[in-house]
Structures are given as structure tokens and as C-alpha cells.
Amino acid sequence: MKFAKRTQKTGNSGLEDLFAASGPNVISFAGGYPDRSLFPTQQLNQAFKHSFNSGDTELLQYASTQGYLPLREKIAARLRATGIPTRADNIMMTQGAQQGLDLVARLMLDPGDGLVVEAPTYLGALAAFNAYQPTYYEIPMQDDGMDINALQRVLMSHKVKFIYTVPDFQNPTGVVMSVAKRQALIRLANQYDVMILEDNPYRDLRYDGKPLPTIKSFDTQGRVVYLGSFSKILSPSLRMGWLVAAPDLLQELLALKGGSDLESSNLTMHGIDAYMAENDLDAHITEIQNCCREKKNAMVAAMNRYLPDEAHFTNPDGGFFLWLTMPAGFDMGAFMKQHLLPESNISYVPSANLYATSAQVNGARLNFTGPTLEQIDTGIKALGDALKTALQHHLVAEQA
Amino acid sequence: MKFAKRTQKTGNSGLEDLFAASGPNVISFAGGYPDRSLFPTQQLNQAFKHSFNSGDTELLQYASTQGYLPLREKIAARLRATGIPTRADNIMMTQGAQQGLDLVARLMLDPGDGLVVEAPTYLGALAAFNAYQPTYYEIPMQDDGMDINALQRVLMSHKVKFIYTVPDFQNPTGVVMSVAKRQALIRLANQYDVMILEDNPYRDLRYDGKPLPTIKSFDTQGRVVYLGSFSKILSPSLRMGWLVAAPDLLQELLALKGGSDLESSNLTMHGIDAYMAENDLDAHITEIQNCCREKKNAMVAAMNRYLPDEAHFTNPDGGFFLWLTMPAGFDMGAFMKQHLLPESNISYVPSANLYATSAQVNGARLNFTGPTLEQIDTGIKALGDALKTALQHHLVAEQA
């Protein structure tokens, strides 16, 4: 039995490595986990109870591929409040935003088709896209988002199907794309007839400064597909995200979703809808922001205090991650595997997994929302000590 | 923006037509809906409540791609009781059995690869497979399952990646594959090095006779992937199925699932696990069997009573569907669209949608579990009257 060619790409997504590196004694900066103490367990319990007791005989039945209308209406209202002029009709529910990545790639990509990604980019996006065998074009990340000049050069010389971007608190760097770049991105997409996949699960989790307009809000030609999710603002265990797309795109994406898993859970959609009717989601988000701001500040303070001078890192205004860069040639993957994990029980995501093609080794993604404040201090101190030792002994130079 | 080539195949899956044909006044034999009066709403309410109140801080967190271990252990125990020697390790949870169809096709199929399907076959399977652009080989259904001689001729002359079959109460015909054919199927798969995808969502819903061994139970080479689901025995709204596969296959399927939607809902898995711990699922299944047996008998009695002599139909021992065949040339799709639906508000699934390539028009899939006993009598009487009228007036002869 021979597998499809795509499995040569998907076999080593690195996702499993993350889980493997998180035992009970490990302080993990690797995951993308919300703070578990903030899940609104009893409010969700009440909301599900009310759904079960509603007398709706269709609650546990097959429903529709697009998803429960009242919930889509609530999501549309929230999106309109952020400047995206959308209606429930333009929204479909997905199995987390991750399914949106899969469906859009499935819609657009024949093997070999061009796909622009940020460098570095989200690990799970590469896992989704790899199944459709794209030709990747990497655009380097800068402090204000992807290098637009580099993007223009790619679009001038290569046929590209879509551009994948996480404009707010990018996974993995934490960088926010500037308004000027968001506008430039739309102009280039219009000029070269390219789709944009705007993946925005962290948008509501801003800890400092003011939100910028979404790329979708500048879209006048229906070429931006926008992904959102309840995973970071409510619970990832619900597996509920959404996708906003122009009618012609949405129709195709609905057909692909039908073939993929028929529909999302009607019970869960009713439960979330009841939660939103009975609770102030924005007040809950404020609570998450306050908790995560404190953790982020603790993380940055610990890194300033404990890491060697050779370590550089971002100080993001929101989201889940910051990005650590060591001098060129320092292999953060080898360092973790050979020293940090076995000797200090600490993990992160090494950068080599986070590039579509270039496999740069001297960076790492560190999550600050999953660990406790105490783990942040303990873990970053141990990381700093281990990095200093490694630098002194030239332990993890890249083998050229 | 140009879509991938696959969308030429997936655009018209027919799944949407089913929903379009089910308004409030329509008596629908089209869906594949469980009887809504039997959903264990309060038991599930209790089970979810117990999960929410368990104090498990990981309940609402990201979990694992493979799925909640205690639930997989319970599923493995049930499968062992039916003669499949499996353990929790060999099982992964899926977003309904539908996701199993998608993932196996994704694992195996490069564009143009050979795929054997029954003729007719399950609509949603074609929707899943079409996204991977297979070359279909249709094997005609007989009273005891697919025509094994025809299968052998295909395997002798064509390279085939896998064989898709619904051996128990096939969707759409209701046919059960004989033990001799199950064994022959395994022998041929071994001989020609082909995978088998055994899709078995209706297995527990047998109303007469004794269960036959699964194809998987004859598999000594790890070449059968087995799909099961809670959709028909608990609730489709939970979107929870499972997949049993040999370790090398399972590892690849887990990577593909990770890229597709990361994981199934941890909350829902805990809820189902609590339901199974607190309730007698087999007693619930017996209740479903009793209800569906009554409906099936009513359906067959009504068809015997009301349909014209030219109509032939199966009398299945279980499952959700029976299969109606009219004389060659009678177009059941045109008849429904032009007469039955507008004049009598009755729907079914016309056979043309249920063939991968041959598009035979003189059959229909009728569901007997969704409608009430009263709707069955009213609906089949109206269907009989309309068929008789159409036959007398030669209204719906196939346009050759």
C-alpha cells in the first residue's frame, strides 16, 4: 500500500513533538495554551444546561453545514463592531480556525501552486497547507509585519494563489502588522489577483495600545478570507471557529466542509450561543487580557533579568507568544533536545519547525499564557542559565 | 482567483440539495436522520454536567489529536466484543465518521489514483473522495453485497489504492454483505495489495437476524481501516466518530488530522465518556432498534400496499434506508423535481447522485427513521399515487 505523495510532507509536522515535550515535570513554553484558570466552566455548564433544557427537538439532530444562525448573527455583530461589514450569511462555522486553514488550502491549491507565508509562520498552518503540496514563498517578518518589498518581488515574478498572514500578534513572533502594510497588502493582492487568508485568533487579546483595522476591513473585492475562533477567548476544547468569505468563495468552502465532516456540532454551537446570551463575553475577554498582560510583563521582565546579552526577543502588545533570537549559528533545536529538556525540563518551539522552507535554527517561540507566573520566573531563569553555559562552551553551534 | 482543479468535482455534491428539499411542509425520506424522539437529552445533560463539575482543569483545554483515552478504551472494549481484536492505541477519534472518509482519502489518493466504490454508494463518501480527484471504479451491488467477480476483474486490470464499502445495511441500498463475500474481499485485498475502508455506522442497528463478523475481524495484514460513529446510536450533533487502523496507518492519519482540525472536542469526548459510564448504551440501542424496526416494517408494509407493481424495493434487516427501483428509463430525479416535490411535498434522494460515474436514474434512497409512522403512511401513499400517475402518462421517461 503506497500513501499519497502529500504524506511525504505531512509526516513530520512537528505538532506531535510539542506534545511529546510536555510531561508533568516539564515547564512548557511550547504550547499555545490559554490560562486554564480562566475557563468559564460554570457559565458554560449553565449554558449547555439551558440548551439541553430548551425543548428544542433539533438540538441533537443533524443540522446545517453553515452552522447555527443565531450564533452566526452574534459573531457578525461583533465583526461589524470591529469594522468588517459582514452578515451571518457570509459566515460559516469551522472546527476551530484550523479547519479554515485546511478548507481554504483545499479550495485553492493544486500541487505545486504558489503560496506566500510569513517567515517564521504558524506551525499548524504549515501542517494544513503541506497536505496540498504548495510551492512556498517565504516573506521575512519585520518589526511591523511582513517585508512588503520582498512580497512585491515574489508577486512580480511568481504566480501565487494566496497569501497567508497572522496580522495581529503573529504566531510565532508576536508582531503586529502596521496599517500601512495592511493597506499595501490589499493593493498588491488586487493588483496581482491573489487571495489573502487573514488568520486572526488573537485579535481580541490586546494588552497594550489600540486595535488596528483588520485587513478584511480594507477588502473591496471579496478577496480576503477571515478566520476567527472561540479557542482563545472561551475554550479550545469547544473546537469552534468561524470563517468570513465572499459569497462565491463561501459556497465552495461549504461544499468542501460538507465533504470533510458534514457540519460542526449543533450542540456546541447552541451552548456557545446560550453562553453569549447569558454572559458578557467582552467582560470575560477583559479578564483574560488582564491576566495575560501580567504574564507577558512577567515574562519580559524575567527575560531581561535572566537571559544573556546575546539573546534578543520581541515584546508583543498582545497574543500568546514572544520570539527569541540567538546569534546566527546557535541551534535552538539542538540546545533544547540535548541540554534544556533533559537537564532543566524546559521546552519551547525551536524555530526550524516554523519556517516553510528556510529552516532557520537560531530562534524559538515562547508561550507566556499557559505557564503560571511562578513557572515563568523559574523556567526563564533556568533557560537563561542554560543559554549562558551553552554560549560559554560553544555547545550548540550549527554544524555547517 | 482560480480555484484548485478539485473544486470542479466537489461543487455539486448533492448534499445541499437534500437540505433544500426539506422545508417544514415536506415529508422527507431524503435525510439520514435518527428518530429525534429517542435522543437521550437528559442523560447527556447529566453527563455533560458531571464533566463540567469534575474539577478537571484540563476539560476545556487543548488536549491530544488522538482523543480522550478513557473513551477510546470504552470503544475498544465494544469493538473487541464484536470480534475486532483492538486496543485504545489503535483508535483515533474523528469529527463524525465523515472525517474518517476524508482523512483516509487524503492519506491514500494522488490525483488519478484508482478507488473502488459500490454502485450505488454513500453520497457523503463521494463528496469526501471527490476532493482528492480519484479515478473511480464502480462495482455493482447485489442482494448479498458488491459483485466480487466484477471486483476481481477491476483489480486484475487496474491499480487501485483502496476499496470503499459499507458492509452492514449499506447506504443507500440497505444490503448486508455476506460472510463469504467479506472473506473474499479480504483475500482479494491481500492478493492485490489494496487497502479496505470499512464504513460501519449502522452496524449496531440490526432489527432482524444475527450480526455478521466485520471485515476488519478477518484482517490479518492491517489493511482494513474501520470507521464507527456515535451519530446513529447517540446523537449526530455530537459530531463524534472513530477510526481503527494499524499503527503505521494510524500515525499518518493522526498527522493529517492534526493539520485538518488539530483534535476533536475534549469536552464532548468527556461528555460521551460520562454518558457511557452512567448509562447502559446497549439498552439505549435496543430502544432505537425497537423503534426503527417498527418504522421499517411500517415502511415496507406501506410500500407493498401503495406502490405500483413496477416498483421494486429492498427490505433491509437494519440501518436507515431502503432502495427503490423503477423500470429502466424512469427518471426518479426528474419525477421528484417536476412532480413529487412541488405537487405532493415529498422528497427522497434520487439515484443519479449516488453513483460515482454511471449516474443511473431509475432508483431512489428512502429513509424510514427520520419520518414519523404517520408521515410514513401518508408519504408513501402519496408517492404511490404520484408514481402510478407518472407511469400512466409516461411523464418521466429518460431523455435518451
Side-chain angles (χ1 to χ4, degrees):
Chain A
M1 295 187 293
K2 230 179 79 188
F3 300 151
K5 292 195 182 78
R6 74 188 80 235
T7 61
Q8 296 161 13
K9 292 285 285 183
T10 51
N12 185 15
S13 71
L15 284 171
E16 308 98 283
D17 291 352
L18 286 194
F19 285 106
S22 54
N25 300 317
V26 169
I27 297 181
S28 174
F29 300 107
Y33 285 22
D35 187 307
R36 46 187 50 68
S37 71
L38 298 180
F39 294 133
T41 308
Q42 282 316 316
Q43 290 88 336
L44 282 170
N45 188 6
Q46 283 300 310
F48 273 71
K49 180 178 155 192
H50 292 160
S51 297
F52 277 120
N53 288 331
S54 67
D56 177 358
T57 58
E58 300 301 308
L59 177 73
L60 294 172
Q61 189 56 283
Y62 284 108
S64 78
T65 302
Q66 191 161 2
Y68 186 48
L69 181 60
L71 179 58
R72 285 187 287 119
E73 284 170 344
K74 288 186 179 62
I75 292 166
R78 290 181 67 82
L79 290 170
R80 282 195 299 273
T82 73
I84 300 178
T86 196
R87 291 171 302 121
D89 284 356
N90 306 119
I91 297 173
M92 66 181 268
M93 303 308 297
T94 57
Q95 181 77 352
Q98 184 73 27
Q99 189 181 39
L101 302 175
D102 177 53
L103 293 178
V104 169
R106 194 184 304 203
L107 174 65
M108 298 304 293
L109 296 175
D110 286 312
D113 276 355
L115 169 56
V116 163
V117 293
E118 292 162 334
T121 188
Y122 165 49
L123 182 66
L126 296 177
F129 301 155
N130 283 345
Y132 304 98
Q133 303 162 272
T135 301
Y136 284 110
Y137 299 102
E138 291 194 320
I139 307 297
M141 285 297 286
Q142 300 172 319
D143 292 347
D144 59 349
M146 68 168 85
D147 179 342
I148 290 290
N149 294 327
L151 174 64
Q152 182 156 25
R153 286 193 296 275
V154 165
L155 296 178
M156 280 172 67
S157 52
H158 300 283
K159 184 94 195 101
V160 164
K161 280 294 190 75
F162 69 92
I163 298 163
Y164 172 65
T165 179
V166 183
D168 287 317
F169 322 117
Q170 197 237 10
N171 183 349
T173 60
V175 159
V176 174
M177 187 186 287
S178 68
V179 176
K181 284 195 171 178
R182 290 170 198 237
Q183 291 170 322
L185 191 60
I186 279 282
R187 276 197 304 272
L188 287 173
N190 287 343
Q191 184 180 347
Y192 291 98
D193 191 24
V194 174
M195 217 193 82
I196 296 171
L197 179 53
E198 179 177 18
D199 183 12
N200 218 329
Y202 307 105
R203 179 167 179 80
D204 285 330
L205 301 184
R206 177 176 276 279
Y207 316 133
D208 293 293
K210 291 214 166 158
L212 304 186
T214 60
I215 300 169
K216 179 74 184 159
S217 69
F218 295 121
D219 177 24
T220 56
Q221 302 187 358
R223 62 174 68 251
V224 177
V225 174
Y226 182 93
L227 304 183
S229 173
F230 287 108
S231 290
K232 275 74 179 179
I233 57 176
L234 207 51
S235 154
S237 166
L238 301 168
R239 305 308 305 127
M240 199 59 67
W242 62 86
L243 174 158
V244 187
D248 57 330
L249 289 165
L250 195 72
Q251 192 183 342
E252 299 289 341
L253 290 166
L254 281 168
L256 292 173
K257 161 99 178 158
S260 185
D261 64 6
L262 295 184
E263 59 194 53
S264 293
S265 166
N266 199 37
L267 171 64
T268 304
M269 289 186 284
H270 276 74
I272 295 174
D273 184 68
Y275 171 89
M276 289 175 77
E278 296 161 12
N279 297 275
D280 182 346
L281 178 57
D282 284 317
H284 179 60
I285 290 172
T286 300
E287 199 187 349
I288 298 174
Q289 288 168 339
N290 290 338
C291 167
C292 292
R293 182 186 301 109
E294 188 183 3
K295 285 188 169 183
K296 198 267 293 183
N297 289 339
M299 185 84 168
V300 169
M303 290 177 84
N304 275 320
R305 184 167 174 193
Y306 297 124
L307 296 202
D309 293 342
E310 291 85 347
H312 295 274
F313 48 90
T314 57
N315 182 355
D317 285 338
F320 271 31
F321 306 107
L322 56 73
W323 185 248
L324 171 63
T325 311
M326 290 295 288
F330 190 98
D331 186 334
M332 288 295 282
F335 167 69
M336 184 174 115
K337 215 168 261 184
Q338 294 164 19
H339 299 285
L340 191 67
L341 197 50
E343 294 162 13
S344 309
N345 275 321
I346 289 168
S347 67
Y348 48 69
V349 182
S351 59
N353 292 316
L354 304 178
Y355 290 88
T357 57
S358 60
Q360 297 174 41
V361 299
N362 63 321
R365 184 190 83 172
L366 277 76
N367 167 264
F368 51 79
T369 59
T372 62
L373 287 169
E374 196 190 339
Q375 287 175 321
I376 286 174
D377 195 75
T378 312
I380 296 300
K381 181 171 189 316
L383 171 63
D385 291 344
L387 280 174
K388 286 171 190 166
T389 304
L391 285 170
Q392 280 164 9
H393 298 276
H394 305 285
L395 285 179
V396 284
E398 193 173 14
Q399 283 145 23
Chain B
M1 294 186 293
K2 228 179 78 187
F3 298 150
K5 291 195 183 79
R6 73 189 79 230
T7 61
Q8 297 160 13
K9 291 285 286 182
T10 50
N12 185 16
S13 70
L15 285 171
E16 308 97 283
D17 292 351
L18 286 193
F19 286 106
S22 55
N25 300 317
V26 170
I27 297 180
S28 175
F29 300 107
Y33 285 23
D35 187 308
R36 47 185 53 66
S37 70
L38 297 180
F39 293 132
T41 308
Q42 282 316 314
Q43 290 88 335
L44 282 170
N45 189 6
Q46 283 300 310
F48 273 72
K49 181 178 153 193
H50 292 159
S51 297
F52 278 120
N53 287 331
S54 67
D56 177 359
T57 57
E58 299 301 308
L59 178 73
L60 295 172
Q61 189 57 282
Y62 285 106
S64 78
T65 302
Q66 191 162 1
Y68 185 49
L69 180 61
L71 179 59
R72 286 187 287 120
E73 283 170 345
K74 288 186 179 62
I75 293 167
R78 291 182 66 83
L79 290 171
R80 282 195 299 272
T82 73
I84 299 178
T86 195
R87 292 172 300 121
D89 284 356
N90 306 119
I91 296 174
M92 66 180 268
M93 304 308 298
T94 57
Q95 180 76 351
Q98 184 72 27
Q99 189 180 39
L101 302 175
D102 176 54
L103 294 178
V104 169
R106 194 184 304 205
L107 174 66
M108 299 304 293
L109 296 175
D110 286 313
D113 276 355
L115 169 56
V116 164
V117 294
E118 293 162 334
T121 188
Y122 165 47
L123 183 65
L126 295 177
F129 301 155
N130 283 344
Y132 304 98
Q133 303 162 269
T135 300
Y136 284 110
Y137 299 102
E138 290 193 323
I139 308 297
M141 284 296 286
Q142 299 173 321
D143 292 347
D144 59 349
M146 69 167 85
D147 179 342
I148 291 289
N149 294 328
L151 174 64
Q152 181 155 27
R153 286 193 296 275
V154 164
L155 296 179
M156 281 171 66
S157 53
H158 299 283
K159 184 95 196 98
V160 163
K161 280 295 189 76
F162 70 92
I163 299 163
Y164 172 66
T165 180
V166 183
D168 286 318
F169 323 117
Q170 196 237 11
N171 183 350
T173 61
V175 159
V176 173
M177 188 186 287
S178 68
V179 175
K181 284 195 171 178
R182 290 171 197 235
Q183 291 170 323
L185 192 60
I186 279 282
R187 277 197 303 272
L188 286 172
N190 288 343
Q191 185 180 345
Y192 292 97
D193 191 24
V194 174
M195 218 193 81
I196 295 172
L197 179 54
E198 179 177 17
D199 183 12
N200 219 330
Y202 308 106
R203 179 167 179 80
D204 284 329
L205 302 183
R206 177 176 275 279
Y207 316 134
D208 294 294
K210 291 213 164 159
L212 304 186
T214 60
I215 300 169
K216 180 74 183 159
S217 69
F218 295 121
D219 177 25
T220 56
Q221 303 188 357
R223 62 175 67 250
V224 177
V225 174
Y226 182 92
L227 305 183
S229 174
F230 288 108
S231 289
K232 276 73 180 180
I233 57 175
L234 207 51
S235 155
S237 166
L238 301 168
R239 306 307 306 126
M240 199 58 68
W242 62 86
L243 177 157
V244 186
D248 57 330
L249 289 165
L250 195 73
Q251 193 184 343
E252 298 291 342
L253 290 166
L254 282 168
L256 292 173
K257 161 99 179 159
S260 186
D261 63 6
L262 296 184
E263 59 193 54
S264 293
S265 166
N266 199 36
L267 171 64
T268 304
M269 290 187 284
H270 275 76
I272 296 174
D273 184 68
Y275 171 89
M276 290 175 77
E278 295 162 12
N279 297 274
D280 183 346
L281 177 57
D282 284 316
H284 178 60
I285 290 171
T286 300
E287 199 187 350
I288 299 174
Q289 288 167 339
N290 291 337
C291 167
C292 291
R293 183 186 301 109
E294 187 183 3
K295 285 188 169 183
K296 197 268 290 183
N297 289 339
M299 185 83 167
V300 170
M303 290 178 83
N304 276 320
R305 184 168 174 192
Y306 298 125
L307 296 202
D309 293 342
E310 292 86 345
H312 294 274
F313 49 90
T314 57
N315 183 354
D317 284 339
F320 271 31
F321 307 107
L322 54 73
W323 184 249
L324 172 63
T325 311
M326 291 295 288
F330 190 98
D331 186 335
M332 289 295 282
F335 167 70
M336 183 174 116
K337 215 168 260 183
Q338 293 163 21
H339 299 285
L340 191 68
L341 197 49
E343 292 162 14
S344 308
N345 275 322
I346 289 168
S347 68
Y348 48 70
V349 181
S351 59
N353 292 317
L354 304 177
Y355 290 89
T357 58
S358 61
Q360 296 172 41
V361 299
N362 63 322
R365 185 190 82 172
L366 276 76
N367 167 265
F368 51 79
T369 58
T372 62
L373 288 169
E374 195 191 340
Q375 287 175 322
I376 286 173
D377 195 75
T378 312
I380 296 300
K381 182 172 188 316
L383 171 64
D385 292 344
L387 281 175
K388 286 172 190 166
T389 303
L391 285 168
Q392 281 165 8
H393 298 277
H394 306 284
L395 284 179
V396 283
E398 193 174 14
Q399 282 146 23

